[in-house]
Amino acid sequence: MSMTEILEGPEAIVAAVARLGLGEPIAFPTETVYGLGADAMDADAVERVFALKGRPASNPLIVHVSGASMAEDLVDQWTDDANKLSEAFWPGALTLVLNKSELVPDVVTAGGSTVALRCPAHPIALGLIEAYGKPIVGPSANPSGWISPTTADHVARGFDGHDLLILDGGSCRAGIESTVLDLTSDRPTILRPGIISHLQIGRVLDQDIQIVEPPSGGIAKSPGLLGAHYQPSIPAMLKATEELNHADDGVYLIAWSLKSPENSKQSTTLPHDPVGYARGLYNALHQAELSECSTIWIERPPEFDDTHPTDNTPIWHAIRERLSRICQTSPSSNP
Ligand code: AMP
Ligand code: MG
């Protein structure tokens, strides 16, 4: 009978490298979320990743590299901006979209002429890429449409009954997916917000960075920006703080401002600061799915003043963007 296997330590990397060489997907931790890895140069292996996830062939994958020198071979031109940003933020949670070289199989980029590249800041992810010696695709290690995994157990739950090796790196430090920055348009454009903000990127490039607003019904430039991408298996709703007291037994609460409810089978209280909130959000949603509850109520995140941004403001923006996909109501009365 096939089943998932969770391994840690140096022998886990050796086992994972062997599987990658055979064209088999493996799961690995990064600082953002867990990824489903396969040899990015092996079109058949990459197709197995799409099949295992049930991911539409139209949604391209991020290629994970051990550094800028590995990235340079995969692009038509390693631009000055790419160079500056990789020096400033790699290894880290910034994905750069550039025009691809002929080396990158079409299946990776969903037939497109651009490729998304990232060097992850996680010792196991970097150790794996270095040991394998080649770039590895790494979409989030969840069946398509599920909440992204931030622990090895989340991955195992998603692929129960599959013969999948999962490298265990504990809980992911960032907890939400990377910032995706398109460097192929006239101006650098954020396609997906993340912990690394347009302000930080703008300071490095010395220019204003555009942020794409998720389309309402239109075709997204980044296909992962499709609305239903992150919906949990039970409906989630945003609620004002005052409303939380009205939750009945069927409701799983995800709060941030309250001393109680304490974390329990029926609730999770996330930290006040957006870094801690992002780190814990997906685990809270996984816990809610495992509970007996039929609905999730998420306390509306704090309002912030866009005209006087602090370093925390863009992280709340990234969280709100995820909540807008997770929930069936708008994350803000003041978007
Ligand atoms: P995931 O790996 O599940 O976090 O999703 C990867 C994200 O990167 C999705 O939103 C993709 O649409 C996006 N992405 C990957 N490659 C490209 C590309 N070449 N151009 C634009 N977006 C991309
Ligand atoms: Mg994903």
Side-chain angles (χ1 to χ4, degrees):
M1 197 187 92
S2 65
M3 49 187 194
T4 57
E5 182 185 9
I6 298 179
L7 282 183
E8 58 186 328
E11 59 282 16
I13 303 247
V14 173
V17 165
R19 288 206 182 199
L20 289 173
L22 294 171
E24 293 174 22
I26 53 100
F28 64 101
T30 80
E31 82 279 33
T32 59
V33 302
Y34 276 69
L36 203 55
D39 184 333
M41 301 293 120
D42 178 347
D44 292 338
V46 174
E47 265 168 27
R48 274 178 215 118
V49 167
F50 276 95
L52 184 57
K53 276 183 66 76
R55 182 167 173 117
S58 57
N59 192 357
L61 305 184
I62 296 174
V63 178
H64 290 66
V65 294
S66 56
S69 64
M70 192 181 269
E72 282 173 38
D73 290 341
L74 306 176
V75 298
D76 174 40
Q77 198 198 346
W78 185 247
T79 62
D80 283 348
D81 284 356
N83 206 39
K84 284 185 199 153
L85 292 169
S86 65
E87 280 185 7
F89 298 112
W90 283 6
L94 178 64
T95 296
L96 301 175
V97 174
L98 290 156
N99 289 314
K100 82 176 193 80
S101 77
E102 281 174 4
L103 286 178
V104 181
D106 286 338
V107 59
V108 171
T109 65
S113 60
T114 62
V115 63
L117 299 166
R118 179 168 104 82
C119 174
H122 192 291
I124 296 178
L126 280 176
L128 178 68
I129 301 165
E130 273 160 16
Y132 190 57
K134 290 205 268 175
I136 292 172
V137 294
S140 52
N142 52 284
S144 193
W146 289 39
I147 300 291
S148 294
T150 56
T151 67
D153 281 345
H154 297 164
V155 181
R157 190 159 77 85
F159 295 107
D160 192 23
H162 289 267
D163 178 20
L164 179 68
L165 173 62
I166 304 166
L167 302 186
D168 192 354
S171 294
C172 299
R173 182 162 45 80
I176 60 172
E177 302 82 356
S178 61
T179 306
V180 178
L181 181 72
D182 182 11
L183 290 175
T184 67
S185 324
D186 295 342
R187 272 170 59 195
T189 305
I190 290 186
L191 303 178
R192 177 174 74 185
I195 305 281
I196 296 178
S197 73
H198 65 291
L199 301 173
Q200 289 170 285
I201 295 166
R203 283 197 283 270
V204 171
L205 297 185
D206 199 18
Q207 63 173 306
D208 288 343
I209 306 301
Q210 300 194 109
I211 306 177
V212 161
E213 288 301 325
S216 44
I219 303 286
K221 169 90 198 257
S222 189
L225 297 177
L226 292 173
H229 199 61
Y230 303 102
Q231 273 176 6
S233 59
I234 51 176
M237 272 161 272
L238 282 158
K239 295 281 175 181
T241 307
E242 317 78 73
E243 290 178 281
L244 301 184
N245 295 327
H246 303 301
D248 64 29
D249 282 352
V251 175
Y252 191 98
L253 282 182
I254 300 178
W256 59 270
S257 71
L258 304 174
K259 289 240 163 39
S260 74
E262 292 297 328
N263 295 345
S264 73
K265 272 165 73 179
Q266 296 254 103
S267 70
T268 299
T269 302
L270 294 171
H272 280 68
D273 70 287
V275 171
Y277 187 105
R279 184 178 295 150
L281 176 62
Y282 290 167
N283 186 54
L285 292 163
H286 281 278
Q287 294 313 312
E289 288 185 332
L290 287 169
S291 75
E292 313 266 281
C293 297
S294 55
T295 318
I296 306 171
W297 283 12
I298 303 179
E299 183 179 7
R300 216 173 264 286
E303 294 296 327
F304 56 82
D305 183 357
D306 259 339
T307 53
H308 298 97
T310 67
D311 286 347
N312 279 343
T313 315
I315 307 177
W316 281 122
H317 175 74
I319 291 168
R320 281 161 185 273
E321 190 273 342
R322 301 308 188 276
L323 290 175
S324 72
R325 298 157 199 289
I326 290 162
C327 295
Q328 313 200 326
T329 46
S330 153
S332 172
S333 46
N334 156 31

